């Protein structure tokens, strides 16, 4: 299957993609706080994991797996003090980097191949849409928990 070949191409070039993404994060003013607050090694591991295991994420992982992974990531970034907009921009850069790679690597040979490539792009878009949603949900839940904890402490201090 051609789409599978493209996924394998992405996984084979996961180091290159990870380096490109890290460079974007390091040079983007929209990720300034993310860079300061998330240890570099943690960021690199996270980035590499997504690209290296893309076929698992697209074919084998359920929506519940995405929910667990990305709500936890959202909570982690909240606990690290990363502003929501920096966090979201970092996730969007992950998708953008992948798109740019595919644009540079994909050569259409036939209508069947083009259809297969479109289906892959659709799967990737759906994955990232769910990841963004659940990451923002996790971030929001951590924020709500912190607010409730603070209110509880204030009420009991009075």
């Amino acid at each position: 299957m051609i789409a599978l070949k493209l996924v394998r191409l992405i996984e084979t070039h996961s180091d290159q993609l990870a380096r490109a993404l890290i460079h974007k994060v390091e040079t983007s003013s929209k990720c300034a706080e993310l860079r300061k607050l998330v240890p570099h090694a943690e960021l690199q591991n996270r980035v590499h994991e997504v690209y290296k295991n893309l076929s698992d994420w697209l074919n084998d992982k359920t929506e519940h797996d995405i929910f667990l992974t990305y709500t936890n990531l959202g909570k982690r970034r909240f606990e690290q003090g990363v502003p929501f907009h920096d966090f979201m921009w970092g996730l969007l850069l992950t998708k953008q980097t992948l798109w740019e790679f595919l644009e540079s690597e994909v050569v259409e040979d036939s209508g069947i191949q083009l259809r297969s490539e479109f289906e892959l792009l659709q799967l990737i878009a759906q994955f990232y849409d769910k990841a963004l949603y659940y990451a923002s949900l996790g971030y929001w839940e951590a924020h709500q928990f912190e607010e409730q904890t603070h209110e509880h402490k204030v009420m009991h201090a009075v």
Side-chain angles (χ1 to χ4, degrees):
M1 194 177 242
I2 297 167
L4 185 58
K5 288 180 184 176
L6 290 175
V7 171
R8 297 288 183 236
L9 180 69
I10 293 164
E11 291 176 339
T12 300
H13 291 86
S14 62
D15 289 334
Q16 174 188 342
L17 283 159
R19 283 191 304 276
L21 177 57
I22 292 296
H23 176 73
K24 285 181 182 186
V25 169
E26 289 174 345
T27 58
S28 174
S29 61
K30 295 176 183 172
C31 292
E33 293 299 309
L34 179 71
R35 283 192 307 272
K36 281 189 223 173
L37 298 168
V38 177
H40 188 70
E42 179 181 334
L43 195 57
Q44 282 187 311
N45 289 338
R46 180 82 203 115
V47 165
H48 188 67
E49 187 273 330
V50 171
Y51 292 139
K52 184 80 173 160
N53 301 308
L54 186 63
S55 63
D56 290 342
W57 282 108
L58 297 178
N59 296 319
D60 301 330
K61 301 284 186 180
T62 66
E63 186 163 343
H64 185 70
D65 295 323
I66 298 170
F67 165 80
L68 289 174
T69 299
Y70 283 91
T71 54
N72 286 332
L73 180 63
K75 289 173 185 176
R76 172 103 175 115
R77 294 299 179 253
F78 177 82
E79 291 164 357
Q80 290 171 316
V82 176
F84 184 72
H85 54 277
D86 280 39
F87 173 47
M88 285 293 107
W89 192 254
L91 288 174
L92 291 169
L93 284 177
T94 305
K95 184 178 179 181
Q96 179 188 37
T97 302
L98 183 56
W99 243 239
E100 290 169 359
F101 173 76
L102 288 174
E103 284 177 349
S104 71
E105 294 293 323
V106 171
V107 179
E108 69 178 87
D109 289 333
S110 68
I112 294 171
Q113 182 174 350
L114 187 60
R115 173 71 180 157
S116 183
E117 291 166 358
F118 177 75
E119 288 172 1
L120 172 64
L121 294 176
Q122 189 174 22
L123 281 174
I124 291 170
Q126 289 170 354
F127 164 73
Y128 276 104
D129 290 347
K130 290 174 186 174
L132 285 166
Y133 173 76
Y134 290 124
S136 63
L137 178 64
Y139 194 97
W140 181 82
E141 286 176 349
H143 180 264
Q144 291 298 109
F145 179 76
E146 184 178 274
E147 279 187 354
Q148 290 171 357
T149 302
H150 177 71
E151 287 175 14
H152 181 70
K153 287 179 182 177
V154 169
M155 289 177 59
H156 284 85
V158 176

